[in-house]
Amino acid sequence: STLSSSSAASDVYKRQIMNNMHKNDVDHVGLDLRFIDPEKIVERFPTILSRCQDYGVNPLNEVIPVAPAAHYWMGGVHTDLNASSTINGLYAVGEVASTGVHGANRLASNSLMECLVFARKMSSIELNTPFKLRSLELDNLIVVSPMCLYSAVDGVMNDWHLMHLGNLSVSGPGLVFVEATGVESRGRITPGCVGLHNDEQEASQKRVLEFCRKHGQAKMGIQLAHAGRKASTMPPWEGSKPLPPENGAWQTVGPSSIPFAEGWHVPIEMTLQDLETVKTAFVDSTTRAERLGYDVIEIHGAHGYLLSAFLSPLANQREDEYGGSLEKRMRYPLEIFETVRRVWPSEKPLGMRISALDWDDAGWTIDDSVIFARELKQLGCDFVDCSSGGNSPNRPPVGPGFPGYQL
């Protein structure tokens, strides 16, 4: 199904698709296929042609609209366009889902149509449109994502957090998320990460939230997290490497006793009692979050941290009811979500961030994410926040500064 069997021709297509994908500004993102011979599209991609026309789009003479927020679903383009091998220039927009090329990154043709439908819906919506989810009412559609700051002391917020979150809360967004917040001390990424598992930490957050509510208009959310086998590390400005013993390293835990990478801490494989302990910690932090008056919770299930590691066969090689098949690997993250949903007020939204794929053929895939999202929905999940990667030290061939990175 390649557009051309010659690598030279393939490289031309790669460059043209990349240029056309990213030449538009953030408000008008599209995929322009008009440079391809119409006969080639008709011959090689009849399903794409037919489905686009079903939705009022003709790729023979107009740009296929893809909303920025849907751009992530075309992430395979970024991977394949930088691959050294000859690939199908239109791989990521469907039609070739059965070829097996870069299997973990391929997208079914439905993904393109979902993008088109989403783009059509979003085209008439402005950022200042109010939004409601359960009882949460936002003034606009601008949401500040949780950002790790690595500036707490023993998990306790300080003036830095007051300044940072206070500034964001008065700057106009509809919702501001507090950074990844550890549900227990060993669940911190670094010694400087925020926690919400003791009274001192709760009191420090109360001070910050009171300022945000008094002076700002943004609703406030929190991301509850456990770093798992990727805990006990140095902050980014010191290299993000595992903490040495002299710097206060602690024992990490994970679904299996497999370190994230060579030279990293070897985690202890969690026992059933360990699983219950962490589950209880999520409940305690959720109770504290409700007491503080947070409006929404996002559970961190991405980037190779504990729940993400349970999902991925790269990190989870257990032989009990929590490892092996997809159903078993999903069990613990789903149990955590269900438990939190049970204690979090029914009128308040609850969601989860996931890594939608591992960028590794042997790891977590887009198809797995779809199945997992459906299971979450059955448990009362209100949103799924899609990121990617984190279970393998081999980063995907995209990064900050690359068009469309993690959108």
Side-chain angles (χ1 to χ4, degrees):
S1 298
T2 55
L3 290 171
S4 172
S5 60
S6 74
S7 59
S10 179
D11 286 342
V12 171
Y13 281 123
K14 294 175 191 176
R15 288 195 298 272
Q16 287 180 302
I17 288 178
M18 181 63 73
N19 290 336
N20 284 314
M21 272 198 70
H22 303 300
K23 70 182 180 181
N24 300 303
D25 61 40
V26 71
D27 294 321
H28 301 88
V29 179
L31 180 60
D32 192 347
L33 307 182
R34 293 173 295 179
F35 67 90
I36 300 176
D37 185 338
E39 293 184 1
K40 292 287 188 183
I41 297 179
V42 173
E43 175 187 353
R44 304 293 180 90
F45 308 103
T47 302
I48 288 178
L49 178 62
S50 174
R51 291 179 65 82
C52 282
Q53 291 175 336
D54 286 344
Y55 286 85
V57 178
N58 186 349
L60 300 180
N61 57 31
E62 64 178 308
V63 175
I64 299 175
V66 180
H71 219 187
Y72 171 78
W73 286 99
M74 307 185 75
V77 169
H78 306 147
T79 298
D80 293 343
L81 291 175
N82 288 282
S84 59
S85 59
T86 299
I87 49 87
N88 185 329
L90 292 176
Y91 179 66
V93 294
E95 199 68 51
V96 291
S98 61
T99 62
V101 182
H102 296 299
N105 301 334
R106 68 172 181 262
L107 303 178
S109 57
N110 280 343
S111 296
L112 172 63
M113 302 323 299
E114 289 167 4
C115 288
L116 293 177
V117 172
F118 181 76
R120 292 292 191 186
K121 289 180 178 179
M122 292 299 292
S123 63
S124 61
I125 297 177
E126 298 181 351
L127 283 176
N128 63 359
T129 302
F131 180 78
K132 183 174 182 179
L133 188 60
R134 296 195 186 229
S135 66
L136 175 66
E137 296 185 13
L138 304 182
D139 292 342
N140 56 59
L141 300 177
I142 300 173
V143 178
V144 179
S145 293
M147 295 176 280
C148 289
L149 302 175
Y150 314 106
S151 300
V153 178
D154 295 327
V156 177
M157 287 187 176
N158 51 49
D159 287 349
W160 168 261
H161 302 87
L162 178 66
M163 177 278 301
H164 173 75
L165 293 168
N167 177 63
L168 290 172
S169 71
V170 302
S171 298
L175 174 64
V176 174
F177 270 102
V178 170
E179 65 189 273
T181 301
V183 297
E184 62 173 9
S185 183
R186 63 179 174 175
R188 296 170 295 164
I189 303 171
T190 75
C193 290
V194 169
L196 186 55
H197 49 84
N198 64 40
D199 292 345
E200 185 181 10
Q201 294 165 355
E202 183 178 340
S204 71
Q205 293 193 30
K206 182 180 180 181
R207 169 176 174 252
V208 172
L209 290 173
E210 285 178 346
F211 177 93
C212 293
R213 293 195 186 97
K214 180 178 180 179
H215 300 286
Q217 86 298 325
K219 298 299 192 298
M220 300 299 295
I222 187 170
Q223 185 185 68
L224 296 182
H226 194 296
R229 67 174 184 165
K230 295 179 74 175
S232 188
T233 66
M234 306 288 283
W237 53 85
E238 295 181 20
S240 296
K241 299 297 183 182
L243 276 172
E246 61 270 21
N247 284 35
W250 61 87
Q251 177 63 58
T252 59
V253 296
S256 301
S257 187
I258 302 173
F260 171 63
E262 184 177 354
W264 279 64
H265 304 304
V266 178
I268 293 176
E269 180 172 318
M270 297 176 72
T271 65
L272 296 182
Q273 182 57 54
D274 291 330
L275 299 184
E276 287 302 315
T277 297
V278 171
K279 190 182 298 184
T280 299
F282 268 96
V283 169
D284 177 63
S285 293
T286 300
T287 301
R288 291 177 183 275
E290 164 58 11
R291 196 155 56 221
L292 286 166
Y294 279 106
D295 301 294
V296 54
I297 287 178
E298 177 179 87
I299 297 173
H300 200 341
H303 301 162
Y305 299 125
L306 185 63
L307 301 185
S308 175
F310 265 91
L311 294 172
S312 175
L314 299 178
N316 184 351
Q317 296 181 17
R318 298 174 72 95
E319 297 180 353
D320 63 2
E321 63 267 39
Y322 293 101
S325 67
L326 174 61
E327 179 183 8
K328 290 181 177 180
R329 284 184 281 112
M330 292 192 302
R331 178 168 287 136
Y332 188 59
L334 289 174
E335 286 182 1
I336 291 291
F337 183 90
E338 184 176 24
T339 301
V340 171
R341 179 73 275 181
R342 192 179 301 123
V343 297
W344 183 240
S346 60
E347 69 273 14
K348 292 188 176 184
L350 175 65
M352 179 175 278
R353 170 169 277 193
I354 67 170
S355 283
L357 76 167
D358 278 339
W359 300 95
D360 188 310
D361 289 352
W364 183 259
T365 69
I366 288 287
D367 292 339
D368 295 336
S369 292
V370 171
I371 294 171
F372 185 56
R374 287 171 177 161
E375 293 296 321
L376 286 170
K377 184 177 181 180
Q378 292 297 317
L379 297 176
C381 183
D382 297 294
F383 61 91
V384 173
D385 182 2
C386 292
S387 187
S388 72
N391 273 305
S392 169
N394 300 316
R395 291 183 177 274
V398 293
F402 190 100
Y405 176 65
Q406 297 290 50
L407 288 181

